Amino acid sequence: AINLQKVGIDNVTLEVRDGFDETAYGNETYQAIYIGASVSQVPEVLRQRLAVGGRLVTVLGSAPVKRAVLITREKDDTFSHKVLFDTNIPALIEGKHSLTTDAFVF
């Protein structure tokens, strides 16, 4: 939030939440959601938290190549997906279980 203030952005509210906890949201929807690690699939609870026109950015897939994607909620039941670039970042961990299948072995 401090970095946003430094560059004069004052119309953003940052929230850090457990994206898998369906009880953490109530009926709130968001214009933008960012998942800060890679996942094998976007949790449905987060897809449902997007407002119509809202965007979600995350990295999907498994090593060695994962893809940064932009998911936009076009209508109540319609989502578009756009691949932004290939990358490889660490997988999101929930408790002791990885949410991706990074099982690339030589």
Side-chain angles (χ1 to χ4, degrees):
I2 293 170
N3 288 334
L4 293 174
Q5 291 172 350
K6 285 181 181 178
V7 295
I9 297 174
D10 60 2
N11 64 344
V12 173
T13 301
L14 296 175
E15 296 181 17
V16 177
R17 301 229 179 148
D18 179 348
F20 296 91
D21 182 0
E22 294 184 32
T23 64
Y25 299 97
N27 292 325
E28 297 175 65
T29 58
Y30 299 90
Q31 290 297 319
I33 296 174
Y34 170 72
I35 301 174
S38 67
V39 293
S40 58
Q41 62 185 11
V42 176
E44 187 60 26
V45 64
L46 290 182
R47 287 171 43 99
Q48 295 307 315
R49 292 301 94 197
L50 278 177
V52 173
R55 298 165 314 266
L56 183 147
V57 174
T58 192
V59 173
L60 291 175
S62 58
V65 178
K66 302 174 186 180
R67 291 189 163 85
V69 296
L70 170 65
I71 298 170
T72 304
R73 189 171 200 166
E74 304 290 341
K75 298 178 185 175
D76 281 341
D77 59 350
T78 306
F79 296 84
S80 66
H81 296 241
K82 179 180 181 183
V83 174
L84 303 173
F85 54 88
D86 291 345
T87 187
N88 188 10
I89 66 171
L92 185 66
I93 304 293
E94 179 185 25
K96 295 181 180 182
H97 304 287
S98 173
L99 297 178
T100 64
T101 54
D102 287 349
F104 186 77
V105 178
F106 289 97

